[in-house]
């Protein structure tokens, strides 16, 4: 685990890296954060990360920035939250300022057009990976399945039933705002999980 001022500096650059390469939004940033914080450095557990992600998705604002702030606050308190948030948004600010200054000069060039065309499928793939990770953790109980080896332990039945009901409510009862489904999910988690 990171400690002291060196840890804060490392954390800033980790989130700077995430902010720099997370083209495609918050779910792509969340995938990078999971790979770095959970898998590479083991700073937080996978279960804790997905709890943070669920809370970050439920709160107003961009999920990537919410998640960065939450991770930093969890590790180092308010100072950590500020450091990780600055790390996450700094690349975007720098890039936007550069683009605003020079984009009109090179937007029509074939190399720039090709780069943007290549980013689209890569971004879609990163969003798909993030979605599947969340689905496997919340609806399927894959780590438990690996431990016990039983088919019955593969599924979190309560979560699967709630997930199916939430989909039905979203697509059939279109007048119900999605915020109410998010709130129902929080209540469901507190009561049944």
């Amino acid at each position: 685990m990171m400690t002291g001022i060196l840890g804060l500096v490392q954390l800033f650059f980790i989130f700077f890296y995430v902010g720099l390469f997370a083209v495609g939004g918050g779910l792509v940033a969340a995938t990078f954060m999971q790979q770095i914080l959970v898998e590479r450095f083991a700073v937080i557990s996978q279960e804790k990360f997905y709890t943070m992600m669920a809370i970050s998705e439920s709160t107003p604002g961009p999920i990537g920035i919410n998640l960065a702030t939450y991770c930093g606050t969890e590790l180092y308190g308010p100072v950590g939250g500020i450091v990780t948030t600055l790390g996450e948004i700094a690349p975007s600010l720098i890039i936007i300022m550069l683009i605003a200054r020079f984009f009109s000069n090179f937007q029509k060039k074939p190399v720039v057009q090709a780069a943007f065309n290549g980013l689209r499928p890569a971004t879609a793939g990163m969003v798909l990976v993030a979605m599947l990770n969340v689905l496997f953790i919340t609806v399927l109980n894959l780590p438990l399945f690996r431990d016990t080896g039983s088919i019955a332990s593969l599924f979190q039945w309560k979560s699967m039933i709630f997930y199916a009901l939430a989909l039905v409510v979203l697509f059939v009862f279109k007048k119900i705002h999605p915020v109410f489904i998010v709130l129902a999910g929080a209540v469901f988690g507190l009561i049944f999980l």
Side-chain angles (χ1 to χ4, degrees):
M1 186 153 195
M2 297 180 235
T3 58
I5 191 72
L6 183 60
L8 281 172
V9 172
Q10 287 174 330
L11 211 55
F12 175 83
F13 283 109
I14 286 171
F15 283 91
F16 188 90
Y17 168 81
V18 169
L20 185 61
F21 292 106
V23 177
L27 290 177
V28 176
T31 302
F32 280 148
M33 287 180 215
Q34 181 207 10
Q35 290 173 346
I36 295 168
L37 298 173
V38 176
E39 296 172 10
R40 185 183 298 169
F41 293 115
V43 174
I44 54 177
S45 70
Q46 184 164 325
E47 193 170 307
K48 180 72 173 174
F49 179 79
Y50 284 113
T51 300
M52 291 175 165
M53 191 165 157
I55 292 170
S56 297
E57 282 188 88
S58 302
T59 54
I63 182 176
I65 295 171
N66 290 350
L67 190 54
T69 305
Y70 191 172
C71 288
T73 303
E74 186 74 20
L75 294 171
Y76 289 104
V79 172
I82 292 168
V83 167
T84 55
T85 302
L86 290 175
E88 178 77 16
I89 65 171
S92 297
L93 292 174
I94 293 167
I95 290 169
I96 289 298
M97 287 189 287
L98 290 173
I99 287 174
R101 174 83 173 115
F102 299 110
F103 190 67
S104 60
N105 295 340
F106 63 90
Q107 74 184 41
K108 301 280 189 214
K109 295 192 185 252
V111 173
V112 173
Q113 296 287 329
F116 282 124
N117 288 336
L119 285 172
R120 287 186 190 110
T123 300
M126 293 294 287
V127 169
L128 179 64
V129 167
M131 182 206 65
L132 290 174
N133 281 337
V134 170
L135 181 69
F136 287 155
I137 288 296
T138 57
V139 177
L140 300 177
N141 197 8
L142 293 181
L144 182 60
F145 175 70
R146 286 190 201 115
D147 293 341
T148 64
S150 83
I151 296 295
S153 67
L154 175 62
F155 303 101
Q156 294 187 25
W157 296 105
K158 293 175 189 173
S159 294
M160 289 180 68
I161 291 167
F162 181 80
Y163 179 73
L165 288 173
L167 284 177
V168 168
V169 169
L170 274 174
F171 291 110
V172 174
F173 304 103
K174 296 186 186 233
K175 291 186 179 186
I176 295 177
H177 198 280
V179 167
F180 294 113
I181 297 189
V182 171
L183 292 173
V187 169
F188 171 81
L190 289 171
I191 294 172
F192 294 109
L193 300 178

